[in-house]
Every structure is written in C-alpha cells, then in structure tokens.
Amino acid sequence: MELQDVKFEGWPHVIYAQQFSRRWLEQKLFSEARNMRLVVQQRGCDVLKGMRAVSFFYQKSTRTAASFAFAMDYLGGRVVFSTENAREFSGASVGENLSDTIQVLHCYEPDVIFLRYDREIGAEIAASVSDIPIINAGDRQPKGAPVSLFSGQHPTQAFLDVFTIQERLGGIDGISIAMVGDLANGRTVRSLSYLLGKFKGVTIYYVSPKNAQMLPDVKDYLNRRDVKWCEVTDLREVASLVDVVYQTRTQRECGGEIDRNNYSLGYFMMDGTILKMMKPNSIIMHPLPRVDEITPDVDSDPRAVYLKDQVKAGLYTRMALLKMILAPSA
Amino acid sequence: MELQDVKFEGWPHVIYAQQFSRRWLEQKLFSEARNMRLVVQQRGCDVLKGMRAVSFFYQKSTRTAASFAFAMDYLGGRVVFSTENAREFSGASVGENLSDTIQVLHCYEPDVIFLRYDREIGAEIAASVSDIPIINAGDRQPKGAPVSLFSGQHPTQAFLDVFTIQERLGGIDGISIAMVGDLANGRTVRSLSYLLGKFKGVTIYYVSPKNAQMLPDVKDYLNRRDVKWCEVTDLREVASLVDVVYQTRTQRECGGEIDRNNYSLGYFMMDGTILKMMKPNSIIMHPLPRVDEITPDVDSDPRAVYLKDQVKAGLYTRMALLKMILAPSA
Amino acid sequence: MELQDVKFEGWPHVIYAQQFSRRWLEQKLFSEARNMRLVVQQRGCDVLKGMRAVSFFYQKSTRTAASFAFAMDYLGGRVVFSTENAREFSGASVGENLSDTIQVLHCYEPDVIFLRYDREIGAEIAASVSDIPIINAGDRQPKGAPVSLFSGQHPTQAFLDVFTIQERLGGIDGISIAMVGDLANGRTVRSLSYLLGKFKGVTIYYVSPKNAQMLPDVKDYLNRRDVKWCEVTDLREVASLVDVVYQTRTQRECGGEIDRNNYSLGYFMMDGTILKMMKPNSIIMHPLPRVDEITPDVDSDPRAVYLKDQVKAGLYTRMALLKMILAPSA
C-alpha cells in the first residue's frame, strides 16, 4: 500500500496530509468548507450538540487553538478541557508521558482530541493508543532524527492552504508555488507539499538557504508524483513565475535561524521588490505568526491573503473536518 | 474635539477612560450596574445568549480575566477562547504581532475581545484594525516612552472604582481622594484620575516617592478640568482629610520598586496608624492584587472595601458594559 | 473531637481525607460513583445545570484539572474560569495572596472552587475565608515545615484510590498494600493512608529510602486506628504478600529525588521482577503522571489498573462528590 493511497475513511485519526485523497479533498472537504462559511454567517448550528473536545497543546499556538475552539463552538460542540503548555516535567520520558496522557484523556471519553506536540512523532504515538479521533494540530521530528513520512506535519494547516488556493485561483492543477524560509524545520511546508502531490502538473520552488532545505522524504514523495520541484536561494529568481508565494517564519523556537538580511545566504524577504515582480492574479500566503519576513507594506496588497482569506479558510476547513468526523451523517 | 468630549456612542471600543461622559457613567453605566446586582442574585440571564467572547491576555491577571468570564457567563454568553499569556516569541516585533493577532481573531468573528496588553499602547493598536469591540483590560506605555493620552490605562477598573465610590459615598462631586504608591507605572490611578476629571470639585492627593510621581499627561488633563491636585510624600499628612484612600501595589513587574519601610522616601503604608487618622465614613480601596502595602489588620475595618464591594462592583460594571455594547436594545 | 470523627456533613469543604467517615464512603460516595458510570455511558445529565465552577490551580496538573472539568460537564455544569498556573508574582506573601484571591473569586459567586496549591496548607487557608465549597485538588506542606494533620493531602485522589480497590478487590477490610516511592513528599500516599485508617485489618508496607519515609502525623494516626504498618527499603520483600502495589513518582518538583537504580538505597522499581512475585489477583496502582518508576512491560499486565480503571474511578468519584455537594437532593 502506498502512503498516498491511505484513505481517511475507516481510520478515525487525522495525522498526516498523505492520508487524504484528492477526491476526498475536492468532493468532501472543499464543498463542506463552503457550507461552513454559511454556518458562520448564520452564527452557528448544533450538529455537534453535546459533543466534547479536548484541546491538548504541548506547544503554544494561540491561533490554531482558537481556530479549533471556534470551529467546535460554531458547530454547537464545546472544548471541555484545554491546555496551552501541557508538558509537566522535563524529566519525563516524553513519548511515555504522551502515551500515558492520551490514555488518561481517553478515560474521560471526549469525542475528539486536538493535539499539538513539540517533539518526536507525537500524533502517531497518540493515535496508536486511542480509538478516539486524534487531530494532529502540528508535530515535528526532533532535529537530526531520522525523518518519518508521518512526522513533522500540520495537516489541518495544509487543508486550509489548499482550500485558499482553490478558492482564490479556481483550481490547484498546474499551479506554481514558491515556498520560502526555513524549509527543514517548517511543518506547514511539509504537509502542503504532500497535499500538492495529489494534484496534476504542480511546480514547487523551494526557496531557502542551503542549510535549511526541504527534507528528502518530501522530495522522494514528489518524485513519485506528478510534481516538478527545484531549489533556489533567491526569491527574486522565481517571483515573477509563481501563482503563489508561500512565505514562512524562521523557526526560532526550533533552534533554526535565518538572517534574512545576510544576502550572501540568498534573498528570502517578501517585500516591495518581490511584490513588483509578482503576477497580478497571484497570491501571497503565510501560515502565521510572522516575525519580519513579510514587510508591512505587503499587507494592504490585494494579493496578500494571509491575514484574512487564509485564516477564515482555517476556520471553515476545521469546521468541515470536525463535522465529517463527528457527525458524518448530519 | 477635546478628548474628554469623545463619546462612547458610535465607536465600538473601550480603550481609555476619557472617552466616556459623566452623563453616560451616571445615567447608563451606574444604573445598569445596579440591575446587574439583581441578575447575579437570580443566578444569571440570557441577554447575551449565543454571543462569543475572546479573552486575550498578554499579561497574567487572573482576577480581571475571571471577572470578564463571569460577566459573560451571567449574561448568558460565553468565552470561546482564552489565553493567559499570549506572547508567543520574544523575537517578534510586538506591535506587528498584536495587529496580526487581532486580525486573525477577527476572522473567527467573535462578538467582543477582552485584551490585556503588557507593552506599548496595545488597546489602540488593536482597535485600529478591528470593528469588533475591543475592551481594554489594561495596557501601559513602556518605561520612558512618550506618554500618550490614551496609553497606560485600565478603563474597566476605573468604572468599578467610581461605581464603588458612588455607591459607598452617595456621590463623586466634591470628594477628596489620596492615590498612594507607584503612580508613574500604575494603570489604575491613571484611568481613575481621568474619570474623576468628569466630576465637580474633586481633590486628588498623589502620594508617592519623588521618583514615582503621576505622569504629566494626567496632570495637564486635570488642570483643564475642575480638579484640584497636589503631590505629597507622606500619607499621614492627608489621611485625615480624604474620603478615599486608594492604595496601589508597587509595580514590581514593571521594574518599579518602592521600599515602603524606607521612611526617608516618605510614608506609603496603609496601616493601623493611617486607619486611626481616617474619617469614620471614609473608604479604603485597592485594585488588587496587593503585596504588603496594606497590613492585614486593615482588612476587617468596615471602611475597607477592596476585598468585597470593590470586587463585586467590577463584576456588575463589566456586566453592564457588555450588555450595553452587545445587547443595547435588550 | 477527634479528627477521624469530623463529618463531611455541615461543613461545605473537601480538604483532607480524615473528614470523611467509612459510612459516607461506602454508602454514599461509592454507590453514587457507580451511578456516575451510567451517566457517562449516557453521555451526561443536567443535575448541575446552571452551576458554575472555578478551577484554580497554583501548580500544573492537567490530569486532575481535566478530570474535574469533565466531571462538571457530564453533570451539566460548567467551569466558568480556570487557570493552570495562578501564582502572579513571587514577591507576594503567599498565604495572604491566596486568601485575597479566594475572597475575590468569592465575590463572583461560583458554586464551587477546585483548588490546587503548591505550598503551605493552602486548602485550609482557602476554606477559612470561604463559605463557597472549596475542593482540595492537592496541596502540600513546605519542606521542613511543621506537619499539620490537614496539610499535604489530595483527598479526591484518595477517593478514587479506595473506590478502585473496592471495585477490583471487592472490599477494603483486611487488604495489604505496599506504598512505594518518595513517601515524605507524596500527597497521595498521605491521603490514602488516612482513608485506609477508616477500615479494618488493613496492613500497609511503606517502601522507601530512609530519607523519604512517611511522616509521623500519618504513623501516629494509624497507630490510633486498626492499621498495621511497617517500613521496608526493598519492594521485593513484600511484593508476594500484598494485594496492592501503590507505586508513586519521585517528587522531582518538590526537590525530592530517588535514584531508583542505586540499589544501596533499596529496590523501588515496579518492573517484571516484581510482577512475577505478585499474587494473581492483586493490582498495581499509580496516581500518575509517572516518570520511569513503572517499566512499560507492566502496562499490559491485567493487574495494572493505573491507566484505565483508576483514571475512570477518578472521573466517577469526582462526579459523585460534586453531585453530593451541589445537588444533594437531586
């Protein structure tokens, strides 16, 4: 069984982007997400009435946690317990601790668990001991650890990213995209790459310093799919070619660091220079939060979607996902 | 347009004390707050049924956060997402980060956002990018930054303070009050001074060490209003004259520090000595939390209102404010 | 009045294990807890509809906090405000600060307060200023402080522990139990010992290094009750004799430390060696979280109850307790 054939159906968990088929994305997730836009306009519904979620974050991410909380709420469910910084004592054998914790939460019988994990392949460990749906809200492999096809992902971020592209560009087949920044440590670019591999004729330009390039598992995957990719160190080389610039943050908290003003490394800033080069109907994305990798003058450009369309897409796709998992027949 | 003429009506945000008129305070806030006392006795109502709040605190303040949470709950609304320590990475350009964050929360379409910010003029930055009501739960100017008429305030604290005075002393015109402590860094004394400027014949004694005196923006404002003020360094000089002693905490977390036992600096303790001097029908207030600036023997004195009346006033006035903003016609 | 005669009835607080009678445990808590198992199967009820809880933790404990949150939720109540790390500034006089905080929360009129405190005899301080029920979710005496019969307890943990024993072994009279680990700093072994003192013919083996033995207040109590106890430093000596091995964590966060592999201190690991020695119908318990004091191969043994029965018992007994306190006639 090839990974890209793994189906969401049957398995209750949402762990890595590869498990979802193009058909599922287009015929289920996207259409359901469009319905959710209306549900929010109507200020909510009650398809998840009485449903209970746990939001368990080992790493702070207020935006993602808030997005899941509002998704539950607009559907009539509730987050019964949430924590932003779950790690209790550094002395613990981490994997052990996570496995125990999930089994404990399991005893309280929530309907779903949102898990953000800061080390190892947390979402998989959780899924292995739970028959309550685990939704991976971001995990990553430790620096230098052997890379797993499952690890270091943020699938719900990838959902909102492809949905944003679909809605703004009218389709995903044949697009070209520049992913910019610390690609070795970024969760979002990994999951997005895996999802783009489901589509036809996509071209990805990986724009990063030599020491922060995309990891081989993704490249191997893309090579087996209908995706062209290449690596550059200067965003100016590709800015005029792409339909999407996907800018990402330097992963300071992962120990990564890019000096974006050290032009001997390359050119990685999304700024006025790049803006002038970009196509009129292209878009500029960012998973947020940002530090300084997009200059403020970009915000007001109509092509910038990171502060509005992309964030709303996160709410709609998470609502859609929750409805499909918790109330599929509703 | 003078600041004190700014009206609450029309503008959805609650950022600084000056924006509220005396008429609004007396005819709307106070009377609505009295109704809220009954709502709590009846264990709640549902005028905010289906309404969603975000409680976004960049600086821990369990008391204020709890007060807002209960205010929403007693009115039938709910806090869908809350965070106590929102700052995600110190590397971020702070203002930028806040502006992005508010725009992100905006996409989730809450009905109101409670914001506590620990630096700069956060509430104004938030209000500038939001048409969803922002309620300033306390912000402040960075040490040594140019003082803005808007910055460093805690307007809902000022509401509960004036409501407490109104209810206990039967009115605010003509009262004399001693504000004691680190007046240069205190949010609450700034907002309270601005509100007292709305009333007639008020006298304020600012009691602080020379290095922690009230900032000039407040003094300029008071000079344009019908408020007498003067500065002293010894609470004993004025204790017998005032209707209110408003004691405040040394702002340790702001880097300020008063050695209250170093009597070369002055006398700033609210203790048995001061208690004996005070008028029988005066009151002792404190925004809480306290460290050691009020001695425990003061707690049981009938004039001490900081552990009961003042805290309840916080719940009632915040409920009143939320009802006026979110369900004005209810 | 001897402590063991203190009754729960009349006093609204749940502070220490001794205050509960055997009759109350068997005829009320246990039977109500069995009902709660059904309530969870039915996905909740509304006996606490409209009831408000505050979950106020000065020390992180995601498992206990989640257990209380789900207990409220399954009964139809809600946690209106919760904090995981309530301490606001280290400079504060701690007891003072707690007393103020409880009085502030009191003003918001919740129906119950869950309090986890990390120093001193917090739950007692809280109870002394509150007529709203305080439920002690764990407190402890500071190292080297005079030991109080009330301090350093975790009564709701003790409830779930005895309920687990009752359900798995069919009764508590006459059982023998080994409590293993840092007994000087452990809250749970203190409260469990006090509860076991309510029953007949119980034998307790305290297994710990010499520097981490059970404190004298517990031993004095047991000497006045029908409980045999003795101290050993090698779990292998007693493993074959006991019905229960109650393993506990090294209290790293309390400054305690046991090198479990330094066999000059003794033998304190719950591992395959101990497993082989234990009776077929015995059980292995742990309050969680664990570090490394139980080896993973023990988890799958049918005698291990710490990841399932014991955790579920925590939910059921807390639900039962809340119903008895907040809706006794329901």
Side-chain angles (χ1 to χ4, degrees):
Chain A
M1 178 185 72
E2 271 204 49
L3 267 174
Q4 56 269 31
D5 299 328
V6 176
K7 290 284 173 298
F8 171 65
E9 288 81 0
W11 200 49
H13 309 296
V14 178
I15 305 303
Y16 48 93
Q18 305 91 296
Q19 76 186 83
F20 299 88
S21 68
R22 173 184 181 150
R23 207 182 110 280
W24 181 86
L25 288 168
E26 291 186 326
Q27 292 175 26
K28 294 191 176 179
L29 184 70
F30 293 172
S31 60
E32 198 62 84
R34 292 184 191 105
N35 299 336
M36 292 306 163
R37 192 181 281 129
L38 301 175
V39 170
V40 173
Q41 277 169 23
Q42 293 150 10
R43 309 306 291 148
C45 66
D46 61 4
V47 295
L48 298 192
K49 192 165 192 303
M51 297 266 188
R52 300 171 178 92
V54 169
S55 181
F56 216 81
F57 279 45
Y58 281 81
Q59 178 188 51
K60 204 169 192 39
S61 176
T62 48
R63 289 160 189 73
T64 303
S67 181
F68 275 110
F70 272 88
M72 271 308 275
D73 191 88
Y74 277 118
L75 292 169
R78 57 194 181 278
V79 178
V80 172
F81 180 76
S82 67
T83 182
E84 288 186 313
N85 181 7
R87 189 151 329 278
E88 269 172 293
F89 35 83
S90 52
S93 152
V94 179
E96 204 68 47
N97 178 250
L98 174 63
S99 169
D100 284 6
T101 298
I102 296 298
Q103 290 178 77
V104 167
L105 295 176
H106 212 267
C107 292
Y108 305 144
E109 300 183 35
D111 296 288
V112 62
I113 298 172
F114 312 136
L115 179 70
R116 171 73 154 243
Y117 204 61
D118 59 342
R119 317 184 201 163
E120 269 125 41
I121 47 177
E124 284 173 274
I125 294 170
S128 69
V129 294
S130 174
D131 51 29
I132 292 167
I134 304 289
I135 298 184
N136 181 359
D139 75 349
R140 71 179 192 85
Q141 72 283 359
K143 294 192 71 72
V147 177
S148 150
L149 269 165
F150 304 94
S151 68
Q153 291 213 26
H154 195 344
T156 62
Q157 177 70 44
F159 292 156
L160 74 91
D161 291 337
V162 292
F163 182 62
T164 303
I165 295 169
Q166 173 70 43
E167 296 299 274
R168 284 290 293 237
L169 301 183
I172 298 166
D173 290 337
I175 66 157
S176 62
I177 179 171
M179 300 188 189
V180 190
D182 180 356
L183 305 178
N185 291 301
R187 278 183 277 244
T188 59
V189 287
R190 290 175 52 78
S191 290
L192 179 54
S193 296
Y194 275 116
L195 271 201
L196 291 175
K198 309 283 186 177
F199 295 87
K200 292 193 175 3
V202 173
T203 305
I204 305 178
Y205 301 97
Y206 290 121
V207 186
S208 75
K210 294 245 180 294
N211 68 340
Q213 291 179 331
M214 178 55 70
L215 296 172
D217 65 307
V218 170
K219 295 172 180 174
D220 297 344
Y221 173 84
L222 296 178
N223 291 339
R224 294 200 307 276
R225 316 287 301 176
D226 180 26
V227 176
K228 297 184 211 59
W229 62 271
C230 68
E231 297 176 316
V232 296
T233 58
D234 191 329
L235 180 54
R236 292 168 302 190
E237 289 177 24
V238 297
S240 64
L241 309 174
V242 297
D243 304 298
V244 181
V245 168
Y246 193 96
Q247 178 65 294
T248 67
R249 179 171 32 99
T250 304
Q251 297 291 317
R252 279 195 178 77
E253 69 272 39
C254 305
E257 189 67 65
I258 295 179
D259 179 353
R260 290 176 190 274
N261 301 316
N262 175 355
Y263 294 121
S264 67
L265 293 174
Y267 196 96
F268 314 104
M269 292 293 287
M270 181 60 237
D271 55 17
T273 307
I274 303 300
L275 212 48
K276 286 194 203 67
M277 296 172 156
M278 290 178 68
K279 297 190 216 166
N281 59 351
S282 59
I283 58 174
I284 302 154
M285 304 177 71
H286 192 299
L288 301 181
R290 65 175 158 178
V291 183
D292 55 11
E293 60 275 4
I294 298 182
T295 54
D297 54 311
V298 177
D299 297 1
S300 57
D301 190 282
R303 291 168 291 185
V305 301
Y306 45 85
L307 286 175
K308 192 156 183 216
D309 298 42
Q310 202 179 348
V311 180
K312 284 178 176 288
L315 178 61
Y316 304 147
T317 49
R318 288 183 176 111
M319 287 171 71
L321 186 67
L322 288 174
K323 180 175 179 299
M324 283 186 278
I325 294 172
L326 300 178
S329 56
Chain B
M1 177 185 75
E2 271 203 49
L3 266 173
Q4 55 269 34
D5 298 329
V6 176
K7 289 284 175 296
F8 171 65
E9 288 80 2
W11 199 48
H13 309 296
V14 178
I15 305 303
Y16 47 94
Q18 305 91 296
Q19 74 186 85
F20 299 88
S21 69
R22 173 184 183 151
R23 207 182 111 280
W24 181 85
L25 287 169
E26 292 186 323
Q27 292 176 27
K28 295 189 175 179
L29 184 70
F30 293 172
S31 59
E32 198 62 84
R34 292 182 191 107
N35 299 336
M36 293 306 163
R37 192 181 281 126
L38 302 174
V39 171
V40 173
Q41 277 170 23
Q42 294 151 11
R43 309 306 290 148
C45 66
D46 60 4
V47 294
L48 298 192
K49 193 165 191 304
M51 296 266 190
R52 301 171 178 95
V54 169
S55 181
F56 216 81
F57 279 45
Y58 281 81
Q59 178 188 52
K60 202 170 193 39
S61 175
T62 48
R63 290 160 188 73
T64 303
S67 181
F68 275 110
F70 272 87
M72 272 308 273
D73 190 88
Y74 277 117
L75 291 169
R78 57 195 181 278
V79 178
V80 171
F81 180 76
S82 67
T83 182
E84 287 187 314
N85 182 7
R87 190 153 325 282
E88 270 171 292
F89 35 83
S90 53
S93 153
V94 179
E96 205 67 46
N97 178 250
L98 174 62
S99 169
D100 283 6
T101 298
I102 296 299
Q103 289 178 80
V104 167
L105 295 176
H106 212 268
C107 292
Y108 305 144
E109 300 184 35
D111 296 287
V112 61
I113 298 171
F114 311 136
L115 178 70
R116 172 72 153 245
Y117 204 61
D118 58 342
R119 316 185 201 162
E120 271 121 39
I121 46 178
E124 284 172 274
I125 294 170
S128 69
V129 295
S130 173
D131 52 29
I132 291 167
I134 303 289
I135 299 184
N136 180 0
D139 75 349
R140 72 177 189 85
Q141 71 283 357
K143 293 193 72 72
V147 177
S148 148
L149 269 165
F150 303 95
S151 67
Q153 293 214 24
H154 195 345
T156 61
Q157 176 70 44
F159 292 156
L160 74 91
D161 290 337
V162 291
F163 182 63
T164 302
I165 295 170
Q166 174 69 43
E167 296 299 274
R168 284 291 294 238
L169 301 183
I172 298 167
D173 289 337
I175 66 157
S176 61
I177 179 170
M179 300 188 189
V180 190
D182 180 355
L183 306 178
N185 291 299
R187 279 183 277 244
T188 59
V189 285
R190 290 173 54 77
S191 289
L192 179 54
S193 297
Y194 276 115
L195 271 199
L196 290 176
K198 309 284 186 176
F199 295 86
K200 292 192 171 7
V202 172
T203 304
I204 305 178
Y205 301 97
Y206 290 121
V207 187
S208 75
K210 294 248 179 293
N211 67 341
Q213 291 179 331
M214 178 55 71
L215 296 172
D217 65 306
V218 170
K219 295 173 180 175
D220 297 344
Y221 172 84
L222 296 178
N223 291 339
R224 295 198 307 276
R225 316 287 301 174
D226 180 26
V227 175
K228 297 184 212 61
W229 62 271
C230 68
E231 296 176 316
V232 297
T233 59
D234 191 328
L235 180 54
R236 292 169 300 189
E237 289 178 24
V238 297
S240 64
L241 309 174
V242 297
D243 304 298
V244 182
V245 168
Y246 193 95
Q247 178 65 292
T248 66
R249 188 173 88 255
T250 304
Q251 297 291 319
R252 279 195 178 77
E253 69 273 35
C254 305
E257 190 66 65
I258 296 177
D259 178 352
R260 292 175 188 276
N261 302 316
N262 175 355
Y263 294 123
S264 68
L265 293 175
Y267 195 96
F268 314 104
M269 292 294 286
M270 180 61 237
D271 56 17
T273 307
I274 304 300
L275 213 48
K276 287 195 204 66
M277 296 172 154
M278 290 177 68
K279 296 191 217 167
N281 58 351
S282 60
I283 58 174
I284 302 154
M285 303 177 72
H286 192 298
L288 300 182
R290 65 174 158 178
V291 182
D292 55 11
E293 60 275 4
I294 298 182
T295 53
D297 54 310
V298 176
D299 296 0
S300 55
D301 191 281
R303 291 167 292 184
V305 301
Y306 45 85
L307 287 174
K308 192 158 183 212
D309 299 41
Q310 203 179 347
V311 180
K312 284 178 176 288
L315 177 61
Y316 304 146
T317 50
R318 288 182 176 111
M319 288 171 71
L321 186 66
L322 288 173
K323 179 174 181 299
M324 282 187 278
I325 294 172
L326 300 178
S329 56
Chain C
M1 177 184 73
E2 271 204 50
L3 268 173
Q4 55 269 32
D5 300 329
V6 175
K7 289 285 173 296
F8 171 65
E9 288 81 1
W11 200 47
H13 309 296
V14 177
I15 306 302
Y16 47 94
Q18 305 91 297
Q19 76 186 83
F20 299 88
S21 69
R22 172 184 183 150
R23 207 182 109 281
W24 181 86
L25 287 169
E26 292 187 324
Q27 293 175 28
K28 294 190 177 178
L29 184 70
F30 293 172
S31 60
E32 199 62 85
R34 292 183 191 106
N35 299 336
M36 293 306 163
R37 193 181 281 128
L38 301 174
V39 171
V40 173
Q41 277 170 23
Q42 294 150 10
R43 310 305 293 147
C45 66
D46 60 4
V47 294
L48 298 192
K49 193 165 190 304
M51 297 267 189
R52 302 171 178 92
V54 169
S55 182
F56 216 80
F57 279 45
Y58 281 81
Q59 179 189 52
K60 202 168 193 40
S61 175
T62 49
R63 289 159 189 75
T64 303
S67 181
F68 275 110
F70 273 88
M72 271 308 273
D73 190 88
Y74 277 117
L75 292 169
R78 58 195 181 277
V79 178
V80 171
F81 180 76
S82 67
T83 182
E84 288 187 314
N85 181 7
R87 188 151 328 279
E88 269 170 292
F89 35 82
S90 53
S93 152
V94 178
E96 205 68 46
N97 178 251
L98 175 62
S99 168
D100 283 6
T101 298
I102 296 298
Q103 289 177 81
V104 167
L105 295 176
H106 212 267
C107 292
Y108 305 145
E109 299 184 35
D111 296 287
V112 62
I113 297 172
F114 313 136
L115 178 70
R116 172 74 153 243
Y117 204 60
D118 59 342
R119 317 184 201 163
E120 271 122 38
I121 46 177
E124 285 172 275
I125 294 169
S128 70
V129 294
S130 174
D131 51 30
I132 291 167
I134 303 289
I135 298 183
N136 181 359
D139 74 350
R140 71 178 190 84
Q141 72 283 356
K143 295 197 67 76
V147 177
S148 149
L149 269 164
F150 303 94
S151 69
Q153 291 212 27
H154 195 346
T156 62
Q157 176 70 44
F159 292 157
L160 74 91
D161 290 336
V162 290
F163 182 63
T164 303
I165 294 170
Q166 173 71 43
E167 296 300 274
R168 283 290 294 238
L169 301 183
I172 297 166
D173 289 338
I175 66 157
S176 62
I177 179 171
M179 300 188 189
V180 190
D182 180 354
L183 306 178
N185 292 299
R187 279 183 277 243
T188 60
V189 286
R190 292 174 52 78
S191 289
L192 179 55
S193 297
Y194 276 116
L195 270 200
L196 290 175
K198 309 282 187 177
F199 295 86
K200 292 193 174 1
V202 172
T203 305
I204 305 178
Y205 300 98
Y206 290 122
V207 186
S208 75
K210 294 246 178 294
N211 68 339
Q213 292 180 331
M214 179 54 72
L215 296 172
D217 65 307
V218 171
K219 295 172 179 175
D220 297 344
Y221 173 84
L222 296 178
N223 291 338
R224 296 198 307 275
R225 317 286 300 175
D226 180 26
V227 176
K228 296 185 211 59
W229 61 272
C230 68
E231 295 175 317
V232 297
T233 58
D234 191 328
L235 181 53
R236 293 168 301 189
E237 288 178 24
V238 298
S240 64
L241 308 175
V242 297
D243 304 298
V244 182
V245 168
Y246 193 95
Q247 178 65 294
T248 66
R249 189 171 87 253
T250 303
Q251 297 291 317
R252 279 196 178 77
E253 69 273 38
C254 306
E257 190 65 67
I258 294 177
D259 179 353
R260 292 175 188 277
N261 302 317
N262 175 356
Y263 295 122
S264 68
L265 292 174
Y267 195 96
F268 313 104
M269 291 294 288
M270 181 62 236
D271 55 16
T273 307
I274 303 300
L275 213 48
K276 287 194 203 65
M277 296 172 156
M278 290 178 67
K279 296 190 216 167
N281 58 351
S282 59
I283 58 174
I284 302 154
M285 303 177 73
H286 192 298
L288 301 181
R290 65 174 157 176
V291 182
D292 55 11
E293 60 274 6
I294 297 181
T295 54
D297 54 310
V298 176
D299 296 2
S300 56
D301 190 281
R303 291 168 290 185
V305 301
Y306 44 85
L307 286 174
K308 193 156 182 214
D309 298 41
Q310 202 179 348
V311 180
K312 283 178 177 288
L315 177 61
Y316 304 146
T317 49
R318 288 183 176 111
M319 287 171 70
L321 186 66
L322 288 174
K323 180 174 180 299
M324 283 187 277
I325 295 172
L326 300 178
S329 56

